[in-house]
Amino acid sequence: MSVTIGFAMAVTVAVYVTGGISGGHINPAVSLAMCVTGRLKWTKLPIYILAQLLGAFVGAAAVFGIYYDAFMDFSDGKLEVTGPNATAHIFATYPAPYLSLMNGFADQVMSTAVLLLAVFAIFDTRNNSVPKGLEPIAVGLLIIALSCSLGMNSGCAMNPARDLGPRLFTAVAGWGMEVFTAGNNWWWVPIVAPLLGAVVGAMTYIIFIEMHHSDPQSGGENEVRDKYELTNME
């Protein structure tokens, strides 16, 4: 529970901190879904993804530095990816021993689709939207719910940057290239599956919810962007 709550509150704080600049984009899957649905310019996507990966990499480095003595004490100075003294899973997700790649892929598509479905609802002012300023808290509670219910199989990444950035750090910090081969070459699943799931979740919301809103009394060319505070905080 400490990991789940810490993960969720970190996202909440990050959205509050960056909301006024980027709209709180800390997840490439969310940014991609916003581009696909016309809420974000495609030219911003590579810049956002690069920043998200860099942030995750630096965050992993900070954690390793702060807890360096703990890492060394726990594993007698050995940084291992698998086995009883494994510590690589602190930084990136790895599948449970029973999990197949197909089941893990479906897991990540499902969890990220639900994430985007709910995020679109939270920021949709024509739905039962969250009071302005409390949206990041609602997102944090959403992540707690998803992590508690869908985290057992592989840690519920739902964010390619949050997984790949720290995985790259562990590869160069001493864990080695095994971080890419462990779990039957698991590393690509939390990158590709969340991107697909995000688009599925976003389109599901638009098709089954947004398209059925009653017509507003007044509108304008910026109506779509104004309706989604996630991209209108910039």
Side-chain angles (χ1 to χ4, degrees), residues 77-183:
K78 298 178 181 179
L79 301 177
E80 300 181 4
V81 179
T82 58
N85 291 330
T87 50
H89 64 279
I90 293 174
F91 297 90
T93 63
Y94 293 86
Y98 60 80
L99 190 69
S100 67
L101 286 179
M102 182 177 295
N103 196 172
F105 191 92
D107 172 286
Q108 284 299 289
V109 170
M110 177 68 177
S111 60
T112 314
V114 175
L115 173 68
L116 265 293
L117 178 74
V119 164
F120 269 50
I122 289 170
F123 289 92
D124 185 355
T125 58
R126 291 173 61 193
N127 204 332
N128 293 324
S129 59
V130 176
K132 187 174 179 62
L134 296 181
E135 299 95 340
I137 294 176
V139 172
L141 293 173
L142 168 64
I143 291 175
I144 290 176
L146 288 171
S147 298
C148 287
S149 58
L150 295 172
M152 188 177 77
N153 282 337
S154 61
C156 208
M158 301 183 293
N159 183 336
R162 156 260 195 275
D163 199 86
L164 180 59
R167 195 181 300 273
L168 289 170
F169 172 78
T170 53
V172 301
W175 282 266
M177 297 305 292
E178 188 183 354
V179 299
F180 292 103
T181 60

Side-chain angles (χ1 to χ4, degrees), residues 25-43:
H25 283 260
I26 58 175
N27 184 340
V30 174
S31 299
L32 175 64
M34 292 295 173
C35 287
V36 170
T37 56
R39 275 111 174 140
L40 182 69
K41 295 179 180 178
W42 282 98
T43 53

